mmCIF file of all heavy atoms in Angstrom:
data_model
loop_
_atom_site.group_PDB
_atom_site.id
_atom_site.type_symbol
_atom_site.label_atom_id
_atom_site.label_comp_id
_atom_site.label_asym_id
_atom_site.label_seq_id
_atom_site.Cartn_x
_atom_site.Cartn_y
_atom_site.Cartn_z
ATOM 1 N N GLY A 629 -1.671 38.592 -0.761
ATOM 2 C CA GLY A 629 -1.113 37.385 -0.179
ATOM 3 C C GLY A 629 -0.028 36.815 -1.083
ATOM 4 O O GLY A 629 0.896 36.232 -0.604
ATOM 5 N N CYS A 630 -0.212 36.974 -2.417
ATOM 6 C CA CYS A 630 0.809 36.384 -3.363
ATOM 7 C C CYS A 630 0.794 37.171 -4.677
ATOM 8 O O CYS A 630 -0.320 37.628 -5.092
ATOM 9 C CB CYS A 630 0.596 34.930 -3.569
ATOM 10 S SG CYS A 630 1.942 34.057 -4.440
ATOM 11 N N TYR A 631 1.938 37.429 -5.264
ATOM 12 C CA TYR A 631 2.014 38.223 -6.435
ATOM 13 C C TYR A 631 2.743 37.646 -7.641
ATOM 14 O O TYR A 631 3.868 36.971 -7.389
ATOM 15 C CB TYR A 631 2.602 39.583 -6.075
ATOM 16 C CG TYR A 631 1.944 40.333 -4.995
ATOM 17 C CD1 TYR A 631 2.335 40.072 -3.663
ATOM 18 C CD2 TYR A 631 0.890 41.143 -5.179
ATOM 19 C CE1 TYR A 631 1.641 40.660 -2.584
ATOM 20 C CE2 TYR A 631 0.173 41.759 -4.199
ATOM 21 C CZ TYR A 631 0.519 41.524 -2.912
ATOM 22 O OH TYR A 631 -0.096 42.162 -1.778
ATOM 23 N N ASN A 632 2.317 37.702 -8.808
ATOM 24 C CA ASN A 632 2.934 37.174 -9.946
ATOM 25 C C ASN A 632 3.819 38.207 -10.569
ATOM 26 O O ASN A 632 3.298 39.227 -11.066
ATOM 27 C CB ASN A 632 1.910 36.681 -11.023
ATOM 28 C CG ASN A 632 2.517 35.978 -12.166
ATOM 29 O OD1 ASN A 632 3.726 36.034 -12.419
ATOM 30 N ND2 ASN A 632 1.715 35.279 -12.901
ATOM 31 N N LEU A 633 5.121 38.011 -10.479
ATOM 32 C CA LEU A 633 6.102 39.050 -10.959
ATOM 33 C C LEU A 633 6.127 39.132 -12.492
ATOM 34 O O LEU A 633 6.695 40.045 -13.084
ATOM 35 C CB LEU A 633 7.483 38.821 -10.453
ATOM 36 C CG LEU A 633 7.580 38.794 -8.868
ATOM 37 C CD1 LEU A 633 9.018 38.642 -8.525
ATOM 38 C CD2 LEU A 633 7.021 40.043 -8.336
ATOM 39 N N ALA A 634 5.490 38.111 -13.171
ATOM 40 C CA ALA A 634 5.447 38.156 -14.623
ATOM 41 C C ALA A 634 4.143 38.991 -15.089
ATOM 42 O O ALA A 634 3.981 39.184 -16.283
ATOM 43 C CB ALA A 634 5.415 36.749 -15.227
ATOM 44 N N ALA A 635 3.239 39.251 -14.160
ATOM 45 C CA ALA A 635 1.981 39.998 -14.539
ATOM 46 C C ALA A 635 2.258 41.460 -14.860
ATOM 47 O O ALA A 635 3.276 42.026 -14.485
ATOM 48 C CB ALA A 635 0.987 39.853 -13.365
ATOM 49 N N SER A 636 1.240 42.120 -15.419
ATOM 50 C CA SER A 636 1.412 43.471 -15.947
ATOM 51 C C SER A 636 1.739 44.492 -14.899
ATOM 52 O O SER A 636 2.564 45.392 -15.107
ATOM 53 C CB SER A 636 0.143 43.888 -16.679
ATOM 54 O OG SER A 636 -0.914 43.850 -15.801
ATOM 55 N N LEU A 637 1.146 44.311 -13.656
ATOM 56 C CA LEU A 637 1.457 45.346 -12.643
ATOM 57 C C LEU A 637 2.959 45.366 -12.216
ATOM 58 O O LEU A 637 3.603 46.396 -12.223
ATOM 59 C CB LEU A 637 0.573 45.086 -11.375
ATOM 60 C CG LEU A 637 -0.942 45.248 -11.479
ATOM 61 C CD1 LEU A 637 -1.545 45.066 -10.114
ATOM 62 C CD2 LEU A 637 -1.286 46.667 -12.111
ATOM 63 N N ALA A 638 3.498 44.175 -11.950
ATOM 64 C CA ALA A 638 4.881 44.057 -11.583
ATOM 65 C C ALA A 638 5.817 44.402 -12.787
ATOM 66 O O ALA A 638 6.830 45.039 -12.545
ATOM 67 C CB ALA A 638 5.133 42.614 -11.034
ATOM 68 N N GLN A 639 5.425 44.065 -13.983
ATOM 69 C CA GLN A 639 6.231 44.333 -15.107
ATOM 70 C C GLN A 639 6.306 45.753 -15.487
ATOM 71 O O GLN A 639 7.253 46.248 -16.086
ATOM 72 C CB GLN A 639 5.816 43.472 -16.330
ATOM 73 C CG GLN A 639 6.117 42.008 -16.206
ATOM 74 C CD GLN A 639 7.561 41.783 -16.146
ATOM 75 O OE1 GLN A 639 8.311 42.289 -16.982
ATOM 76 N NE2 GLN A 639 8.060 40.952 -15.224
ATOM 77 N N LYS A 640 5.265 46.471 -15.089
ATOM 78 C CA LYS A 640 5.199 47.930 -15.422
ATOM 79 C C LYS A 640 6.321 48.724 -14.629
ATOM 80 O O LYS A 640 6.897 49.670 -15.211
ATOM 81 C CB LYS A 640 3.860 48.490 -14.992
ATOM 82 C CG LYS A 640 3.704 49.928 -15.480
ATOM 83 C CD LYS A 640 2.222 50.414 -15.238
ATOM 84 C CE LYS A 640 2.010 51.848 -15.839
ATOM 85 N NZ LYS A 640 0.644 52.298 -15.559
ATOM 86 N N THR A 641 6.649 48.217 -13.429
ATOM 87 C CA THR A 641 7.653 48.904 -12.610
ATOM 88 C C THR A 641 8.903 48.151 -12.497
ATOM 89 O O THR A 641 9.988 48.777 -12.336
ATOM 90 C CB THR A 641 7.153 49.186 -11.236
ATOM 91 O OG1 THR A 641 6.805 47.932 -10.627
ATOM 92 C CG2 THR A 641 5.805 50.063 -11.295
ATOM 93 N N ARG A 642 8.858 46.819 -12.522
ATOM 94 C CA ARG A 642 9.986 45.921 -12.354
ATOM 95 C C ARG A 642 10.803 46.270 -11.172
ATOM 96 O O ARG A 642 12.090 46.133 -11.157
ATOM 97 C CB ARG A 642 10.852 45.941 -13.634
ATOM 98 C CG ARG A 642 10.147 45.405 -14.877
ATOM 99 C CD ARG A 642 10.974 45.418 -16.132
ATOM 100 N NE ARG A 642 12.181 44.597 -15.999
ATOM 101 C CZ ARG A 642 12.264 43.355 -16.284
ATOM 102 N NH1 ARG A 642 11.141 42.715 -16.665
ATOM 103 N NH2 ARG A 642 13.371 42.657 -16.119
ATOM 104 N N GLU A 643 10.144 46.598 -10.108
ATOM 105 C CA GLU A 643 10.875 46.982 -8.790
ATOM 106 C C GLU A 643 11.564 45.816 -8.295
ATOM 107 O O GLU A 643 12.509 45.890 -7.470
ATOM 108 C CB GLU A 643 9.919 47.645 -7.896
ATOM 109 C CG GLU A 643 9.477 49.002 -8.242
ATOM 110 C CD GLU A 643 8.655 49.716 -7.278
ATOM 111 O OE1 GLU A 643 8.711 49.266 -6.080
ATOM 112 O OE2 GLU A 643 8.021 50.730 -7.551
ATOM 113 N N TYR A 644 11.103 44.592 -8.609
ATOM 114 C CA TYR A 644 11.648 43.358 -8.005
ATOM 115 C C TYR A 644 13.116 43.208 -8.412
ATOM 116 O O TYR A 644 13.877 42.476 -7.770
ATOM 117 C CB TYR A 644 10.861 42.142 -8.332
ATOM 118 C CG TYR A 644 10.668 41.892 -9.840
ATOM 119 C CD1 TYR A 644 11.691 41.127 -10.550
ATOM 120 C CD2 TYR A 644 9.639 42.294 -10.600
ATOM 121 C CE1 TYR A 644 11.615 40.896 -11.882
ATOM 122 C CE2 TYR A 644 9.516 42.037 -11.998
ATOM 123 C CZ TYR A 644 10.488 41.314 -12.602
ATOM 124 O OH TYR A 644 10.493 41.164 -13.916
ATOM 125 N N CYS A 645 13.476 43.748 -9.554
ATOM 126 C CA CYS A 645 14.874 43.705 -10.048
ATOM 127 C C CYS A 645 15.857 44.379 -9.101
ATOM 128 O O CYS A 645 17.050 43.851 -9.009
ATOM 129 C CB CYS A 645 15.012 44.355 -11.410
ATOM 130 S SG CYS A 645 14.013 43.518 -12.708
ATOM 131 N N ARG A 646 15.442 45.182 -8.308
ATOM 132 C CA ARG A 646 16.242 45.873 -7.277
ATOM 133 C C ARG A 646 15.887 45.347 -5.878
ATOM 134 O O ARG A 646 16.220 45.972 -4.906
ATOM 135 C CB ARG A 646 16.127 47.330 -7.340
ATOM 136 C CG ARG A 646 16.587 48.016 -8.603
ATOM 137 C CD ARG A 646 18.045 47.837 -8.829
ATOM 138 N NE ARG A 646 18.880 48.448 -7.795
ATOM 139 C CZ ARG A 646 20.209 48.177 -7.512
ATOM 140 N NH1 ARG A 646 20.747 47.363 -8.363
ATOM 141 N NH2 ARG A 646 20.787 48.708 -6.561
ATOM 142 N N GLY A 647 15.215 44.223 -5.854
ATOM 143 C CA GLY A 647 14.820 43.617 -4.520
ATOM 144 C C GLY A 647 15.145 42.138 -4.510
ATOM 145 O O GLY A 647 16.296 41.776 -4.381
ATOM 146 N N VAL A 648 14.081 41.332 -4.604
ATOM 147 C CA VAL A 648 14.215 39.963 -4.522
ATOM 148 C C VAL A 648 15.198 39.320 -5.478
ATOM 149 O O VAL A 648 15.918 38.427 -5.116
ATOM 150 C CB VAL A 648 12.857 39.213 -4.493
ATOM 151 C CG1 VAL A 648 12.239 39.375 -5.877
ATOM 152 C CG2 VAL A 648 12.968 37.757 -4.105
ATOM 153 N N SER A 649 15.290 39.829 -6.647
ATOM 154 C CA SER A 649 16.177 39.244 -7.622
ATOM 155 C C SER A 649 17.655 39.415 -7.230
ATOM 156 O O SER A 649 18.479 38.530 -7.490
ATOM 157 C CB SER A 649 16.067 40.023 -8.999
ATOM 158 O OG SER A 649 14.834 39.653 -9.574
ATOM 159 N N LEU A 650 18.026 40.496 -6.495
ATOM 160 C CA LEU A 650 19.403 40.664 -5.925
ATOM 161 C C LEU A 650 19.696 39.657 -5.005
ATOM 162 O O LEU A 650 20.791 39.177 -4.879
ATOM 163 C CB LEU A 650 19.530 42.066 -5.434
ATOM 164 C CG LEU A 650 19.451 43.286 -6.481
ATOM 165 C CD1 LEU A 650 19.636 44.621 -5.745
ATOM 166 C CD2 LEU A 650 20.410 43.126 -7.588
ATOM 167 N N VAL A 651 18.635 39.312 -4.176
ATOM 168 C CA VAL A 651 18.955 38.303 -3.064
ATOM 169 C C VAL A 651 19.052 36.957 -3.730
ATOM 170 O O VAL A 651 19.968 36.205 -3.379
ATOM 171 C CB VAL A 651 17.702 38.294 -2.130
ATOM 172 C CG1 VAL A 651 17.790 37.120 -1.136
ATOM 173 C CG2 VAL A 651 17.565 39.585 -1.316
ATOM 174 N N LEU A 652 18.298 36.648 -4.759
ATOM 175 C CA LEU A 652 18.408 35.309 -5.427
ATOM 176 C C LEU A 652 19.618 35.131 -6.219
ATOM 177 O O LEU A 652 20.074 34.074 -6.515
ATOM 178 C CB LEU A 652 17.175 35.100 -6.285
ATOM 179 C CG LEU A 652 15.756 35.004 -5.600
ATOM 180 C CD1 LEU A 652 14.686 34.853 -6.570
ATOM 181 C CD2 LEU A 652 15.809 33.775 -4.590
ATOM 182 N N ASN A 653 20.313 36.267 -6.528
ATOM 183 C CA ASN A 653 21.593 36.163 -7.152
ATOM 184 C C ASN A 653 22.654 35.554 -6.209
ATOM 185 O O ASN A 653 23.717 35.076 -6.652
ATOM 186 C CB ASN A 653 22.139 37.540 -7.593
ATOM 187 C CG ASN A 653 21.395 38.076 -8.874
ATOM 188 O OD1 ASN A 653 20.873 37.259 -9.641
ATOM 189 N ND2 ASN A 653 21.463 39.369 -9.081
ATOM 190 N N HIS A 654 22.294 35.560 -4.865
ATOM 191 C CA HIS A 654 23.273 34.974 -3.951
ATOM 192 C C HIS A 654 22.603 33.722 -3.300
ATOM 193 O O HIS A 654 22.958 33.525 -2.111
ATOM 194 C CB HIS A 654 23.505 36.057 -2.885
ATOM 195 C CG HIS A 654 24.178 37.269 -3.350
ATOM 196 N ND1 HIS A 654 25.596 37.488 -3.361
ATOM 197 C CD2 HIS A 654 23.669 38.404 -3.894
ATOM 198 C CE1 HIS A 654 25.942 38.634 -3.884
ATOM 199 N NE2 HIS A 654 24.773 39.241 -4.224
ATOM 200 N N TRP A 655 21.878 33.073 -4.009
ATOM 201 C CA TRP A 655 21.061 31.977 -3.517
ATOM 202 C C TRP A 655 21.983 30.936 -2.810
ATOM 203 O O TRP A 655 21.607 30.399 -1.742
ATOM 204 C CB TRP A 655 20.235 31.232 -4.636
ATOM 205 C CG TRP A 655 19.453 30.132 -4.152
ATOM 206 C CD1 TRP A 655 19.850 28.793 -4.087
ATOM 207 C CD2 TRP A 655 18.115 30.171 -3.651
ATOM 208 N NE1 TRP A 655 18.763 28.052 -3.570
ATOM 209 C CE2 TRP A 655 17.678 28.885 -3.272
ATOM 210 C CE3 TRP A 655 17.243 31.179 -3.415
ATOM 211 C CZ2 TRP A 655 16.498 28.480 -2.789
ATOM 212 C CZ3 TRP A 655 15.965 30.900 -2.891
ATOM 213 C CH2 TRP A 655 15.679 29.650 -2.663
ATOM 214 N N GLU A 656 23.048 30.614 -3.389
ATOM 215 C CA GLU A 656 23.979 29.536 -2.826
ATOM 216 C C GLU A 656 24.740 30.055 -1.532
ATOM 217 O O GLU A 656 25.328 29.200 -0.811
ATOM 218 C CB GLU A 656 24.990 29.086 -3.880
ATOM 219 C CG GLU A 656 24.349 28.563 -5.177
ATOM 220 C CD GLU A 656 23.456 27.299 -4.959
ATOM 221 O OE1 GLU A 656 23.724 26.655 -3.895
ATOM 222 O OE2 GLU A 656 22.556 27.088 -5.671
ATOM 223 N N ASN A 657 24.590 31.269 -1.326
ATOM 224 C CA ASN A 657 25.416 31.797 -0.148
ATOM 225 C C ASN A 657 24.633 32.578 0.756
ATOM 226 O O ASN A 657 25.068 33.541 1.460
ATOM 227 C CB ASN A 657 26.665 32.703 -0.697
ATOM 228 C CG ASN A 657 27.553 31.915 -1.553
ATOM 229 O OD1 ASN A 657 28.156 30.921 -1.065
ATOM 230 N ND2 ASN A 657 27.696 32.235 -2.820
ATOM 231 N N LEU A 658 23.279 32.374 0.848
ATOM 232 C CA LEU A 658 22.445 33.083 1.797
ATOM 233 C C LEU A 658 22.890 32.802 3.217
ATOM 234 O O LEU A 658 23.175 31.706 3.638
ATOM 235 C CB LEU A 658 20.941 32.613 1.670
ATOM 236 C CG LEU A 658 20.225 32.975 0.404
ATOM 237 C CD1 LEU A 658 18.817 32.452 0.457
ATOM 238 C CD2 LEU A 658 20.254 34.449 0.022
ATOM 239 N N PRO A 659 23.020 33.851 4.059
ATOM 240 C CA PRO A 659 23.371 33.608 5.478
ATOM 241 C C PRO A 659 22.261 32.874 6.203
ATOM 242 O O PRO A 659 21.071 32.953 5.745
ATOM 243 C CB PRO A 659 23.534 35.052 6.000
ATOM 244 C CG PRO A 659 22.752 35.900 5.076
ATOM 245 C CD PRO A 659 22.784 35.277 3.730
ATOM 246 N N ARG A 660 22.522 32.167 7.238
ATOM 247 C CA ARG A 660 21.654 31.260 7.849
ATOM 248 C C ARG A 660 20.324 32.034 8.336
ATOM 249 O O ARG A 660 19.273 31.465 8.413
ATOM 250 C CB ARG A 660 22.278 30.517 9.106
ATOM 251 C CG ARG A 660 22.764 31.345 10.136
ATOM 252 C CD ARG A 660 23.448 30.585 11.180
ATOM 253 N NE ARG A 660 23.961 31.332 12.303
ATOM 254 C CZ ARG A 660 24.549 30.893 13.330
ATOM 255 N NH1 ARG A 660 24.840 29.593 13.471
ATOM 256 N NH2 ARG A 660 24.947 31.693 14.308
ATOM 257 N N GLU A 661 20.523 33.341 8.675
ATOM 258 C CA GLU A 661 19.447 34.044 9.156
ATOM 259 C C GLU A 661 18.459 34.470 8.059
ATOM 260 O O GLU A 661 17.236 34.783 8.394
ATOM 261 C CB GLU A 661 19.892 35.467 9.709
ATOM 262 C CG GLU A 661 20.801 35.337 10.974
ATOM 263 C CD GLU A 661 22.287 35.016 10.672
ATOM 264 O OE1 GLU A 661 22.616 35.076 9.447
ATOM 265 O OE2 GLU A 661 23.040 34.712 11.613
ATOM 266 N N ILE A 662 18.792 34.151 6.807
ATOM 267 C CA ILE A 662 17.816 34.543 5.717
ATOM 268 C C ILE A 662 17.437 33.243 4.951
ATOM 269 O O ILE A 662 16.650 33.301 3.997
ATOM 270 C CB ILE A 662 18.539 35.492 4.802
ATOM 271 C CG1 ILE A 662 18.741 36.799 5.582
ATOM 272 C CG2 ILE A 662 17.693 35.798 3.568
ATOM 273 C CD1 ILE A 662 19.449 37.913 4.770
ATOM 274 N N VAL A 663 18.003 32.103 5.337
ATOM 275 C CA VAL A 663 17.711 30.850 4.630
ATOM 276 C C VAL A 663 16.214 30.497 4.658
ATOM 277 O O VAL A 663 15.677 30.076 3.658
ATOM 278 C CB VAL A 663 18.562 29.681 5.278
ATOM 279 C CG1 VAL A 663 17.968 28.281 4.870
ATOM 280 C CG2 VAL A 663 19.999 29.818 4.837
ATOM 281 N N THR A 664 15.563 30.637 5.843
ATOM 282 C CA THR A 664 14.146 30.349 5.869
ATOM 283 C C THR A 664 13.282 31.231 4.917
ATOM 284 O O THR A 664 12.428 30.755 4.187
ATOM 285 C CB THR A 664 13.594 30.554 7.330
ATOM 286 O OG1 THR A 664 14.188 29.665 8.229
ATOM 287 C CG2 THR A 664 12.056 30.294 7.370
ATOM 288 N N TYR A 665 13.648 32.454 4.801
ATOM 289 C CA TYR A 665 13.008 33.384 3.824
ATOM 290 C C TYR A 665 13.156 32.889 2.515
ATOM 291 O O TYR A 665 12.237 32.739 1.639
ATOM 292 C CB TYR A 665 13.518 34.870 4.004
ATOM 293 C CG TYR A 665 13.156 35.777 2.889
ATOM 294 C CD1 TYR A 665 11.882 36.319 2.830
ATOM 295 C CD2 TYR A 665 14.110 36.042 1.974
ATOM 296 C CE1 TYR A 665 11.614 37.236 1.792
ATOM 297 C CE2 TYR A 665 13.841 36.966 0.927
ATOM 298 C CZ TYR A 665 12.583 37.503 0.784
ATOM 299 O OH TYR A 665 12.300 38.389 -0.217
ATOM 300 N N GLY A 666 14.449 32.478 2.121
ATOM 301 C CA GLY A 666 14.700 31.992 0.860
ATOM 302 C C GLY A 666 14.005 30.685 0.512
ATOM 303 O O GLY A 666 13.532 30.411 -0.625
#
């Protein structure tokens, strides 16, 4: 249901760096279709 990206499991692979982190790099310019997700 919810995951801590600072925890050991996520830090072992750091896959979020090629996922949600890339989206958040564009936080101020998210298209309206993705604003709710953000």
Side-chain angles (χ1 to χ4, degrees):
C630 191
Y631 304 90
N632 188 342
L633 300 185
S636 59
L637 293 186
Q639 287 299 310
K640 187 172 183 179
T641 60
R642 296 179 63 84
E643 290 186 16
Y644 62 84
C645 292
R646 297 294 302 165
V648 67
S649 291
L650 296 180
V651 174
L652 293 175
N653 284 339
H654 297 268
W655 182 267
E656 301 299 334
N657 299 300
L658 292 181
R660 63 182 181 180
E661 294 83 9
I662 297 179
V663 164
T664 298
Y665 167 78

